[in-house]
């Protein structure tokens, strides 16, 4: 329902925007106000459904129309979360959930995914397509094969490294950095994949809404021959502990078809059938190791159902059981068996499965690298050519869940480091821009260390000790989760980014994306990964060559060399010895390697956005998108880019945009830089510290450009008002002319009507009319006689009328002669007056001619302004169509909500009836309880009376017994 007419000077709210009506603007018939481009509701009418009235402190300032569809949010005048639209700092990729006709089948293959992984594939496919000419590489055939292998690396990595999570059906649970090398001619020479931070805990633990890695379910849906070789015939996910508590299927995904795609990709990659079987054998062994049953009988621990896993791994079941339950330790010069507890055996099994899967994954990535690295890709190239590569980093984003554990801390710590890397990079770019334009900034511009307190809180080694270092120390000293929390709080209580939980269940860390509460439950066990060194040595001596290769660093020769270089080995702790690994330390070391690699590159940033959690095309959930923009660092990036002078415009653009403010100042100025200086000096309420003039651009502090835009809008409003006034005046004059012509026509009709009435009342007309009637009444004989009579009557009547007319004419002639004499005298006087007025009018005409020339010049200027405003109106027309589409979508959604509301009302009525029935039953039950209580009281009283009576009888009997005893004592029986 469209709102009614707006009163001048009123304040209205439209979609939460405060709009002040300065004057009564022109409105169309449907009361849509063109000037504000919004529906306005006023009192006395039913409000529009979308309108909300909010308190003033919750109403945000709206950016001027100039900033609609701006490519860089850092340029916005008012920066707050409701105004988030675009960001030029990042390439923001939104999942459309539909196939878009923007890529050909030769460039893009595969289904539409959900975020970073799919965009990574698209980037790699794009690079392979534009650099795939083979002009100076290996030749057309080998080049096309290499590019196809690079593209087919993704399906293999997704099968082993991706899994279903709560938010994504194909989420990458590891980070990968894909480097594509080019020769001097721009052709692909090869590629290399670095992987980071594989989520190994997913191998043995998933929630009900998630899944293990895709490869487990694909092998359980593999071909019969493959399942027979892996001893998986007749097995399903419900038969294994590591898969039975997760989703067995994904809607719209066929694991058997995905397995066939995986086999095809491995064939293209050049992975032989034997190699493929070995990679799959490790996965099957992990499944069977997860089914190992640990029995706890009193003080003895035993295991069962482990033989199949040992057979797949090519090791002796007896030795495996011995090394797992009672590993030997050296005590002096002798080896002594150390019995493990029930929990230690379970932890060792889980750690063993994680290490097996991780090393198998690492071996698979190495095999892929050997295929896609190209034949001698770096030979014959200089150092600079060897460094010519494009890298694509795909890594997990920031995570905030209801319960955040150790995995979330590692992921968020990684994103904190990447965001800090972005801050450093953006500071360098901004600093270069300011130096180029000769702009000076104060100390507040340096935001390079904004995230250092949070990073130090997590990774510091000493003074104070960070979270990861505290965790590492507690893992080495066999600490507990409670002691870990106490130590972290003791070391970092003074850090403003740290806050301990009031219920002692964890702590909170203030990240760039917001404050995250972490629970420390189970952190010690998750970080230890207590790999049994004796079992690892057993695997190094496996009959299976692939298994032995995975654990070759635990062979006898490798151990000797490793001990000499223990400090350089990745994943070993600073304290203690042996092969005791901590996940936190390993994570920090891998992240350090990744950051060192990134610092040698020239980065570009992509942020992937999930538009809705229902996976529907054309639907955007604002809160979800805003949460992602906050978590993936877009808002943080915009914040740091707004430090200093975020708004900047070239001199020519600024002059053309704001010359309306002082047109007379810059009218004759040819130099654009001086013109900008004159404009800025002439603008009111603008001080020198609010802007700086560079060599080619004008730089403004945040919000200043909005003030200038507001003043420009006021000037434009005055021009539009004058144009509207001229148009409305023209319309009004046309209406008056139309009305005057209508009045003339009405008067003509009235005059003709009066003449007709007078004729009808004349005697001559009556005689004529009567004669025509008689002409048809009488015969031809009487007609002639009747005509003579009529003519005599007419003659008599005409004579009378002629005499009367003569008398009247004489009177009129006399009157006209007197009037004529008077008029002649008046005309002479009027002629004299007119001659004097003509002289005055000629003088005024000359003045009006001059004014007309001035108005022509003014009209030309208005015409140029009208062309510019017409372009603005066309842009606003497109905005209007989008608003109508949004209104239609909201109305559809409201209809569905009304249906739901009706259902809820029905359910509410049913519940009220049930409540009433229950209340009636409750009243009846209370009455019954009162009656039962009264009966119980009566029975209790009677019972007490009986007890009293019995007590008196007992006392009497006791007295009688005493009397009898005394009697027997005095008279004993013989």
């Amino acid at each position: 329902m469209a709102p009614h007419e707006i009163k001048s000077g009123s304040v209205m709210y439209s979609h939460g925007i405060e709009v002040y009506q300065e004057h009564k603007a022109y409105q169309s018939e449907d009361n849509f106000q063109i000037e504000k481009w919004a529906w306005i509701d006023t009192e006395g009418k039913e409000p529009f459904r979308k309108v909300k009235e909010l308190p003033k402190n919750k109403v945000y300032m709206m950016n001027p129309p100039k900033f609609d569809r701006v490519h860089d949010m850092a340029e916005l005048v008012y920066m707050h979360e409701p105004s988030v639209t675009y960001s030029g700092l990042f390439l923001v990729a939104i999942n459309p959930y539909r196939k878009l006709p923007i890529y050909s089948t030769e460039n893009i293959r595969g289904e539409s995914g959900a975020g970073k992984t799919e965009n990574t594939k698209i980037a790699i496919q794009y690079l392979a397509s534009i650099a795939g000419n083979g002009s100076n590489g290996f030749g057309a055939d080998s080049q096309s094969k290499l590019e196809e292998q690079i593209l087919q690396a993704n399906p293999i990595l997704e099968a082993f490294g991706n899994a279903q999570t709560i938010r994504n059906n194909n989420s990458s649970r590891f980070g990968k950095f894909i480097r594509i090398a080019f020769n001097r001619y721009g052709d692909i020479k090869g590629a290399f994949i670095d992987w980071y931070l594989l989520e190994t805990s997913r191998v043995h633990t998933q929630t009900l809404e998630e899944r293990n890695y895709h490869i487990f379910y694909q092998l359980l849906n593999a071909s019969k021959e493959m399942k027979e070789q892996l001893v998986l015939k007749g097995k399903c996910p419900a038969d294994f502990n590591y898969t039975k508590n997760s989703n067995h299927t994904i809607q719209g995904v066929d694991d058997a078809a995905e397995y066939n795609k995986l086999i095809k990709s491995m064939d293209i990659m050049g992975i032989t059938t034997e190699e493929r079987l070995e990679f799959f054998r490790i996965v099957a062994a992990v499944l069977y190791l997860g089914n190992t049953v640990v029995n706890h009988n009193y003080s003895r621990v035993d295991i069962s159902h482990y033989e199949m896993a040992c057979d797949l791994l090519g090791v002796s079941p007896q030795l495996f059981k011995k090394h797992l339950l009672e590993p030997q330790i050296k005590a002096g010069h002798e080896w002594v068996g150390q019995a493990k507890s029930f929990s230690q055996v379970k932890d060792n099994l889980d750690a063993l499965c994680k290490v097996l899967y991780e090393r198998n994954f690492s071996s698979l990535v190495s095999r892929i690298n050997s295929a896609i690295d190209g034949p001698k890709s770096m030979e014959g190239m200089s150092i600079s050519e060897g460094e010519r590569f494009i890298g694509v980093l795909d890594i997990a984003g920031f995570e905030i869940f209801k319960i955040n554990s150790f995995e979330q801390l590692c992921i968020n710590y990684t994103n904190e480091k990447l965001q800090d890397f972005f801050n450093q990079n953006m500071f360098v770019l901004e600093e270069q821009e300011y130096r180029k334009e000769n702009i000076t900034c104060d100390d507040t511009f340096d935001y390079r260390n904004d995230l250092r307190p949070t990073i130090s809180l997590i990774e510091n080694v000493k003074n104070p000790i960070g979270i990861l270092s505290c965790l590492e120390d507690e893992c080495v000293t066999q600490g507990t989760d409670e002691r870990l929390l106490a130590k972290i709080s003791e070391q970092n209580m003074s850090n403003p980014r740290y806050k301990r939980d009031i219920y002692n269940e964890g702590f909170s860390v203030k990240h760039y994306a917001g404050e995250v509460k972490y629970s420390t439950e189970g952190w010690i066990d998750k970080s230890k990964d207590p790999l049994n060194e004796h079992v690892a040595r057993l695997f190094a001596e496996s009959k299976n060559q692939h298994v032995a290769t995975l654990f070759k660093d635990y062979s006898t020769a490798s151990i000797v060399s490793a001990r000499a270089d223990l400090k350089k080995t990745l994943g070993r702790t600073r304290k203690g010895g042996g092969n005791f690994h901590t996940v936190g330390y390993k994570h920090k070391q891998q992240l350090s390697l990744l950051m060192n690699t990134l610092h040698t590159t020239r980065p570009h940033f992509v942020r992937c956005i999930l538009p809705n959690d229902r996976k529907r095309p054309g639907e955007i959930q604002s809160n979800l998108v805003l949460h992602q923009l906050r978590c993936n660092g877009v808002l943080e990036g915009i914040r740091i880019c707004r430090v200093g002078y975020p708004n900047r415009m070239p001199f020519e653009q600024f002059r053309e945009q704001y010359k309306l403010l002082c047109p007379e100042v810059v009218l004759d100025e040819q130099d654009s830089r001086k013109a900008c200086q004159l404009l800025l000096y002439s603008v009111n309420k603008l001080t020198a510290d609010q802007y700086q003039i560079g060599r080619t651009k004008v730089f403004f502090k945040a919000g200043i450009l909005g003030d200038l835009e507001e003043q420009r809008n006021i000037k434009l409003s005055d021009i539009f008002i004058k144009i509207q006034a001229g148009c409305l005046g023209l319309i009004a004059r046309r209406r008056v002319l139309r009305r005057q012509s209508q009045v003339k026509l009405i008067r003509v009709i009235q005059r003709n009507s009066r003449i007709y009435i007078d004729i009808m009342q004349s005697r001559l007309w009556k005689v004529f009319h009567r004669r025509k009637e008689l002409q048809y009444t009488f015969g031809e004989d009487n007609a002639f006689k009747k005509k003579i009579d009529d003519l005599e009557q007419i003659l008599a009547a005409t004579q009378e009328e002629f005499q009367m007319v003569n008398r009247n004419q004489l009177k009129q002639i006399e009157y006209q002669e007197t009037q004529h004499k008077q008029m002649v005298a008046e005309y002479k006087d009027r002629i004299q007056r007119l001659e004097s007025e003509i002289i005055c009018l000629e003088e005024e005409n000359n003045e009006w001619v001059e004014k007309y020339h001035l108005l022509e010049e003014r009209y030309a200027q208005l015409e140029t302004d009208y062309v510019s405003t017409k372009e603005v109106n066309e842009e606003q027309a497109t905005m209007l169509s989008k608003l109508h589409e949004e209104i239609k979508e909201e109305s559809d959604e409201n209809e569905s909500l009304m249906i739901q509301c009706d259902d809820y009302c029905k359910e509410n009525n049913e519940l009220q009836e049930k409540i009433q029935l229950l209340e009636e039953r409750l009243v009846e039950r209370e009455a019954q309880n009162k009656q039962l209580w009264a009966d119980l009281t009566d029975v209790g009283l009677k019972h007490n009376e009986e007890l009293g009576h019995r007590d008196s009888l007992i006392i009497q009997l006791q007295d009688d017994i005493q009397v009898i005893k005394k009697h027997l004592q005095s008279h004993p029986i013989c």
Side-chain angles (χ1 to χ4, degrees):
M1 179 177 177
H4 60 80
E5 186 176 354
I6 305 170
K7 296 181 179 180
S8 177
S10 60
V11 178
M12 304 302 171
Y13 292 88
S14 172
H15 301 274
I17 302 173
E18 183 176 341
V19 181
Y20 176 74
Q21 291 301 114
E22 187 175 0
H23 57 84
K24 183 176 179 180
Y26 173 75
Q27 297 180 1
S28 60
E29 294 181 357
D30 55 357
N31 290 333
F32 183 78
Q33 192 178 27
I34 300 175
E35 202 174 52
K36 298 297 180 183
W37 292 101
W39 291 99
I40 306 296
D41 293 314
T42 53
E43 300 177 358
K45 294 288 184 179
E46 181 182 351
F48 189 58
R49 289 182 179 179
K50 190 68 178 179
V51 173
K52 293 182 180 179
E53 291 191 5
L54 301 174
K56 192 171 183 179
N57 58 349
K58 292 186 179 181
V59 177
Y60 297 95
M61 296 297 294
M62 185 180 72
N63 285 287
K66 172 183 179 295
F67 297 96
D68 289 347
R69 300 180 180 274
V70 67
H71 290 287
D72 192 344
M73 285 188 293
E75 297 178 2
L76 293 177
V77 177
Y78 304 110
M79 182 58 204
H80 43 73
E81 293 184 349
S83 69
V84 172
T85 51
Y86 301 92
S87 175
L89 308 173
F90 307 92
L91 171 61
V92 179
I94 300 180
N95 187 356
Y97 286 122
R98 68 175 64 167
K99 293 183 178 180
L100 300 178
I102 56 176
Y103 303 112
S104 62
T105 56
E106 291 79 10
N107 291 340
I108 300 300
R109 290 195 292 264
E111 72 280 3
S112 177
K116 300 176 293 299
T117 301
E118 291 301 320
N119 282 282
T120 300
K121 290 193 291 186
I122 291 173
I124 294 172
Q125 289 163 354
Y126 172 74
L127 293 174
S129 65
I130 64 172
N133 299 325
S135 58
N136 292 282
F138 315 126
D141 296 335
S142 62
Q143 185 76 355
S144 60
K145 182 180 179 181
L146 174 63
E147 291 152 6
E148 191 173 6
Q149 287 178 335
I150 293 173
L151 296 178
Q152 292 303 319
N154 272 303
I156 302 173
L157 294 175
E158 287 180 12
F160 284 84
N162 287 27
Q164 182 190 28
T165 61
I166 297 175
R167 295 179 179 173
N168 192 353
N169 292 339
N170 188 32
S171 176
S172 295
R173 306 318 298 166
F174 72 104
K176 58 179 178 287
F177 186 70
I178 305 174
R179 291 182 292 179
I180 302 177
F182 297 85
N183 61 12
R184 62 173 61 91
Y185 303 105
D187 299 328
I188 293 178
K189 294 289 292 183
F192 193 85
I193 300 174
D194 292 321
W195 65 276
Y196 306 92
L197 315 174
L198 179 67
E199 186 185 8
T200 55
S201 61
R202 183 169 292 272
V203 174
H204 60 83
T205 304
Q206 315 93 34
T207 64
L208 296 176
E209 299 176 353
E210 297 183 335
R211 291 213 316 177
N212 210 323
Y213 290 103
H214 294 325
I215 187 61
F216 290 100
Y217 307 92
Q218 292 175 6
L219 289 183
L220 292 172
N221 290 274
S223 61
K224 293 182 180 179
E225 296 79 8
M226 180 60 70
K227 293 180 73 173
E228 288 178 356
Q229 292 178 348
L230 299 177
V231 201
L232 294 175
K233 186 177 181 180
K235 299 294 183 179
C236 65
D239 297 328
F240 297 98
N241 293 331
Y242 285 172
T243 56
K244 68 180 181 180
N245 295 323
S246 62
N247 277 339
H248 296 172
T249 59
I250 301 175
Q251 184 178 3
V253 177
D254 185 1
D255 289 317
E258 294 299 321
Y259 169 77
N260 294 329
K261 292 180 182 179
L262 173 63
I263 297 300
K264 182 179 179 181
S265 298
M266 285 185 164
D267 290 338
I268 295 174
M269 192 62 63
I271 299 176
T272 63
T273 305
E274 293 76 14
E275 290 176 320
R276 182 193 312 157
L277 180 62
E278 295 302 329
F279 289 124
F280 292 163
R281 192 190 304 275
I282 300 298
V283 178
V286 169
L287 287 174
Y288 279 108
L289 278 176
N291 280 3
T292 302
V293 179
V294 182
N295 301 313
H296 190 195
N297 298 323
Y298 300 102
S299 60
R300 183 176 179 82
V301 180
D302 196 6
I303 60 173
S304 59
H305 300 92
Y306 60 92
E307 294 82 5
M308 188 62 68
C310 293
D311 184 56
L312 289 170
L313 295 171
V315 296
S316 170
Q318 294 79 14
L319 291 176
F320 176 78
K321 178 179 180 180
K322 178 182 177 182
H323 292 324
L324 183 65
L325 299 181
E326 295 181 354
Q328 291 184 340
I329 60 173
K330 193 171 184 180
H333 298 285
E334 297 181 358
W335 290 91
V336 181
Q338 182 185 25
K340 294 292 184 179
S341 64
F342 174 82
S343 60
Q344 288 175 334
V345 173
K346 291 287 291 182
D347 293 340
N348 284 336
L349 280 172
D350 290 340
L352 182 60
C353 291
K354 290 192 287 185
V355 171
L356 265 173
Y357 192 84
E358 184 178 19
R359 293 193 174 214
N360 188 53
F361 182 79
S362 178
S363 176
L364 177 64
V365 176
S366 299
R367 178 63 183 85
I368 293 174
N369 285 333
S370 66
I372 65 177
D373 197 20
K376 301 179 181 180
S377 61
M378 297 301 176
E379 290 187 6
M381 298 176 67
S382 63
I383 296 177
S384 61
E385 289 177 321
E387 295 175 351
R388 187 185 290 116
F389 70 90
I390 294 178
V392 181
L393 175 64
D394 176 13
I395 203 163
F398 201 91
E399 292 184 349
I400 303 177
F401 298 130
K402 291 182 179 179
I403 300 177
N404 302 282
S405 189
F406 177 67
E407 293 82 5
Q408 279 69 48
L409 177 69
C410 293
I411 292 173
N412 296 343
Y413 166 52
T414 302
N415 282 272
E416 198 82 28
K417 293 278 287 186
L418 292 174
Q419 186 65 34
D420 182 65
F421 170 70
F422 168 80
N423 290 3
Q424 303 286 341
N425 184 70
M426 287 307 303
F427 178 81
V428 172
L429 293 179
E430 288 290 294
E431 192 175 33
Q432 290 176 355
E433 176 72 10
Y434 286 172
R435 287 179 180 175
K436 178 182 176 182
E437 294 290 334
N438 196 21
I439 300 297
T440 58
C441 288
D442 52 13
D443 295 337
T444 58
F445 172 67
D446 193 350
Y447 46 78
R448 288 175 292 182
N449 297 321
D450 286 2
L451 304 183
R452 293 311 304 173
T454 303
I455 295 174
S456 300
L457 171 64
I458 299 175
E459 70 177 12
N460 256 15
V461 178
K462 59 181 179 179
N463 298 327
I465 301 176
I467 296 173
L468 292 181
S469 297
C470 291
L471 178 60
E472 184 182 350
D473 293 342
E474 292 302 315
C475 289
V476 173
T477 58
Q478 304 298 322
T480 62
D481 294 334
E482 293 77 11
R483 200 169 77 179
L484 169 65
L485 178 59
K487 186 172 184 178
I488 293 174
S489 300
E490 179 184 356
Q491 292 290 331
N492 300 281
M493 189 58 70
S494 60
N495 194 318
R497 305 291 176 91
Y498 176 85
K499 183 172 67 175
R500 183 168 181 172
D501 183 42
I502 57 175
Y503 302 107
N504 291 328
E505 296 177 352
F507 57 88
S508 298
V509 176
K510 188 176 181 181
H511 294 277
Y512 70 88
E515 188 172 308
V516 182
K517 180 181 178 181
Y518 297 99
S519 173
T520 56
E521 182 180 359
W523 278 32
I524 299 295
D525 296 333
K526 291 179 180 179
S527 184
K528 277 182 179 179
D529 269 0
L531 178 62
N532 190 314
E533 186 176 353
H534 296 276
V535 176
R537 290 178 183 175
L538 179 64
F539 286 166
E541 299 172 357
S542 171
K543 298 177 183 179
N544 187 299
Q545 186 60 35
H546 179 64
V547 176
T549 303
L550 294 181
F551 290 88
K552 64 181 180 180
D553 55 327
Y554 283 90
S555 61
T556 305
S558 298
I559 291 175
V560 173
S561 61
R563 285 176 178 174
D565 198 22
L566 182 61
K567 293 183 180 180
K568 298 182 180 179
T569 303
L570 180 65
R572 299 184 181 179
T573 61
R574 295 168 296 133
K575 297 183 179 181
N579 290 313
F580 183 79
H581 295 73
T582 57
V583 177
Y585 181 73
K586 182 179 178 181
H587 183 100
K588 188 164 63 172
Q589 292 298 318
Q590 287 186 331
L591 183 58
S592 177
L593 294 175
L594 172 61
M595 299 310 299
N596 291 336
T597 303
L598 292 180
H599 280 294
T600 62
T601 63
R602 180 181 178 184
H604 300 271
F605 302 90
V606 180
R607 291 296 180 262
C608 302
I609 300 297
L610 198 69
N612 60 79
D613 54 9
R614 294 189 285 186
K615 300 179 182 178
R616 295 182 180 178
E619 178 181 342
I620 291 183
Q621 297 174 353
S622 302
N623 292 333
L624 177 63
V625 172
L626 183 60
H627 173 75
Q628 293 176 86
L629 292 174
R630 189 184 301 113
C631 289
N632 60 25
V634 174
L635 297 183
E636 175 66 14
I638 296 164
R639 183 192 67 80
I640 66 171
C641 285
R642 289 176 59 82
V643 177
Y645 297 91
N647 301 116
R648 55 202 68 172
M649 294 179 67
F651 292 145
E652 293 79 8
Q653 181 183 355
F654 180 79
R655 177 176 181 172
E656 289 297 322
Q657 185 78 16
Y658 299 104
K659 64 182 180 181
L660 284 175
L661 299 180
C662 299
E664 67 282 353
V665 175
V666 297
L667 183 62
D668 299 327
E669 183 60 53
Q670 301 297 326
D671 188 358
S672 297
R673 190 175 191 278
K674 292 182 179 179
C676 293
Q677 289 178 340
L678 294 174
L679 271 176
L680 293 171
Y681 293 156
S682 303
V683 174
N684 296 328
K685 301 180 180 179
L686 197 62
T687 58
D689 59 341
Q690 294 175 338
Y691 67 91
Q692 285 197 39
I693 299 177
R695 296 176 179 175
T696 61
K697 300 176 184 178
V698 183
F699 291 75
F700 296 95
K701 289 282 189 180
I704 303 303
L705 207 57
D707 297 336
L708 295 178
E709 191 68 22
E710 185 176 355
Q711 296 182 30
R712 179 176 177 271
N713 289 339
I714 293 173
K715 292 284 187 180
L716 287 175
S717 178
D718 294 338
I719 295 172
F720 294 155
I721 289 172
K722 293 178 181 178
I723 295 174
Q724 286 179 346
C727 295
L728 292 174
L730 178 62
I731 293 171
R733 285 190 292 272
R734 287 180 177 177
R735 288 177 180 174
V736 170
L737 292 175
R738 186 167 58 250
R739 182 66 177 171
Q740 289 176 352
S741 63
Q742 290 174 355
V743 170
K744 289 181 180 179
L745 292 174
I746 290 172
R747 288 177 178 175
V748 170
I749 294 171
Q750 288 177 346
R751 185 171 62 253
N752 292 333
S753 299
R754 293 192 185 99
I755 292 171
Y756 176 74
I757 292 172
D758 292 340
I759 291 173
M760 291 295 293
Q761 293 177 357
S762 174
R763 293 174 61 188
L764 290 174
W765 177 260
K766 291 180 180 179
V767 171
F768 177 74
H769 188 66
R770 180 63 177 168
R771 187 188 64 79
K772 289 190 67 175
E773 291 179 354
L774 293 175
Q775 183 178 356
Y776 300 101
T777 302
F778 303 99
E780 295 180 357
D781 297 335
N782 298 327
F784 185 73
K785 184 179 180 180
K786 181 64 176 176
K787 186 182 293 186
I788 293 172
D789 295 335
D790 292 340
L791 289 174
E792 289 177 352
Q793 292 179 3
I794 291 171
L795 182 59
T798 52
Q799 287 178 355
E800 292 178 359
E801 289 180 357
F802 180 75
Q803 293 175 0
M804 187 180 296
V805 169
N806 287 333
R807 288 194 297 269
N808 292 332
Q809 285 181 352
L810 290 173
K811 291 180 180 179
Q812 288 180 359
I813 290 170
E814 293 176 356
Y815 178 76
Q816 287 177 359
E817 286 179 353
T818 56
Q819 291 292 327
H820 179 71
K821 293 178 180 179
Q822 294 178 359
M823 290 176 63
V824 168
E826 291 177 359
Y827 284 154
K828 290 180 179 180
D829 296 334
R830 186 176 298 177
I831 288 170
Q832 293 178 356
R833 289 196 301 271
L834 288 174
E835 287 177 351
S836 60
E837 288 177 0
I838 286 170
I839 296 171
C840 296
L841 288 174
E842 286 178 351
E843 295 176 355
E844 290 181 0
N845 183 37
N846 295 329
E847 294 177 359
W848 282 110
V849 168
E850 293 176 358
K851 291 181 180 179
Y852 173 76
H853 291 305
L854 294 175
L855 288 174
E856 279 186 340
E857 295 175 357
R858 183 61 175 170
Y859 175 79
Q861 184 178 359
L862 290 174
E863 194 172 17
T864 55
D865 295 335
Y866 172 77
V867 172
S868 61
T869 54
K870 185 178 180 181
E871 295 175 355
V872 175
N873 291 336
E874 290 176 354
E875 294 177 358
Q876 292 177 344
T878 58
M879 189 187 302
L880 175 60
S881 62
K882 291 185 178 180
L883 282 173
H884 283 299
E885 292 176 0
E886 292 177 359
I887 290 168
K888 184 178 179 181
E889 293 176 359
E890 291 294 334
S891 62
D892 294 339
E893 189 172 357
N894 287 336
E895 289 178 0
S896 62
L897 290 175
M898 290 296 292
I899 294 172
Q900 293 180 5
C901 182
D902 294 337
D903 296 337
Y904 291 151
C905 290
K906 292 178 182 178
E907 292 179 2
N908 187 26
N909 294 332
E910 293 176 358
L911 291 173
Q912 287 181 353
E913 292 176 358
K914 290 180 180 179
I915 291 170
Q916 186 176 2
L917 180 60
L918 291 173
E919 288 177 350
E920 293 176 356
R921 291 181 179 176
L922 181 61
V923 172
E924 294 176 358
R925 188 65 57 83
E926 289 178 351
Q928 293 176 359
N929 290 338
K930 290 180 180 178
Q931 183 63 34
L932 289 174
W933 178 256
D935 297 340
L936 182 62
T937 303
D938 296 339
V939 171
L941 293 173
K942 292 180 181 179
H943 182 68
N944 291 333
E945 291 177 355
E946 290 180 0
L947 288 177
H949 180 66
R950 290 180 181 180
D951 290 340
S952 61
L953 290 176
I954 290 170
I955 293 170
Q956 186 176 358
L957 288 174
Q958 287 177 351
D959 294 339
D960 293 342
I961 290 170
Q962 293 294 332
V963 171
I964 292 170
K965 284 182 179 180
K966 291 179 181 179
H967 179 72
L968 290 174
Q969 289 176 359
S970 59
H971 301 284
I973 299 175
C974 296

